[in-house]
Amino acid sequence: MHSKIDISEKLRELILNDNHYRKIEKGTFLYQEGMEANELFIVQSGFIQISKIVPDGRELTLRMCGEGDLIGELSLFCPSPKYMLNAKVIESGTVAIIPKRELEEKLNQDHLLALELMKWISLQYRKTQTKFRDLVLHGKKGALYSTLIRFSNSYGITMDNGILINTPLTNQDLANFCGTSREVVNRMLSELRKNDVLSIDKGMITIHNLSYLQRSIDCENCPIDICNIE
């Protein structure tokens, strides 16, 4: 597994001054699209899925957030802000709460904090852009292949027969990351298994031919802090 890239220690230190904490329970939502956005959060423990519901009802997963991740940042600097995405708790834990108004006051007073936050938001924007690039240029296949590459970068363990993605994934999980149906993902995975690109054992995927996936989507070999699932 790669060394996790999250907000800088300086940014976390500046933000987490006089903060409050909240326990989060699996299956609940920290916030949902359309709700009034008055708070930002830093994940202390647990996992949160950031997703968007597209008009036809499908779910598109954009990020999986764990310890150290800042979420809710898209509501900053917006008049009458509302959350643009959904934040669903996948694994119970704790989040630190940062009132939006307090953070904006800190940004006005501390240029270092503002610069650090701009750098972090820019990184998240680049991650999202590369995901949409793969989806737009290469369609559903590009979305699946890039998702598998990102998971291998985030959770990959090098084995004798390839790279084991050390977290269980259902076909529905992968479909959500690709913004498509489970049936479409089933067909594409079957093709990859037939061609010995990967194998699946009890929900655990081993990629035997990572270069095949990379060539198929014209992989640009982005840095790990860009090409990951988090």
Side-chain angles (χ1 to χ4, degrees), residues 16 35 40 67-68 88 94 112 117 146 189 199 206 215 221 226:
L16 293 181
M35 290 175 56
L40 289 82
E67 180 183 354
K88 184 177 182 179
T94 305
L112 176 59
L117 187 60
S146 67
L189 288 176
S199 58
T206 299
R215 289 195 307 271
N221 294 314
I226 297 295

Side-chain angles (χ1 to χ4, degrees), residues 30 103 169 185 219:
L30 191 58
L103 180 57
L169 292 168
V185 168
C219 182

Side-chain angles (χ1 to χ4, degrees), residues 98-130:
I98 309 103
K100 177 175 174 285
R101 184 173 61 183
E102 290 183 16
L103 180 57
E104 289 179 342
E105 290 174 357
K106 289 183 181 181
L107 292 174
N108 286 330
Q109 298 167 5
D110 192 327
H111 292 172
L112 176 59
L113 173 60
L115 179 60
E116 290 285 344
L117 187 60
M118 286 174 61
K119 288 179 180 178
W120 188 87
I121 290 177
S122 175
L123 176 63
Q124 299 309 312
Y125 176 76
R126 289 175 63 195
K127 288 182 182 181
T128 302
Q129 287 295 97
T130 58

Side-chain angles (χ1 to χ4, degrees), residues 186-204:
N186 290 347
R187 289 196 296 270
M188 290 191 289
L189 288 176
S190 294
E191 181 180 347
L192 291 173
R193 294 172 73 174
K194 180 179 179 181
N195 293 327
D196 296 322
V197 176
L198 57 76
S199 58
I200 304 174
D201 182 20
K202 298 178 181 178
M204 305 292 281

Side-chain angles (χ1 to χ4, degrees), residues 1-2 144-159 161-170 173-174 177 189 192 197-210 213 229-230:
M1 188 183 301
H2 78 273
L144 176 62
Y145 289 11
S146 67
T147 296
L148 291 171
I149 293 169
R150 292 172 194 279
F151 265 107
S152 72
N153 286 336
S154 293
Y155 297 100
I157 297 176
T158 301
M159 310 291 284
N161 62 341
I163 300 173
L164 170 67
I165 298 177
N166 192 32
T167 186
L169 292 168
T170 67
D173 292 333
L174 291 172
F177 275 99
L189 288 176
L192 291 173
V197 176
L198 57 76
S199 58
I200 304 174
D201 182 20
K202 298 178 181 178
M204 305 292 281
I205 298 175
T206 299
I207 300 176
H208 305 300
N209 192 346
L210 183 64
L213 301 177
I229 209 68
E230 298 157 338

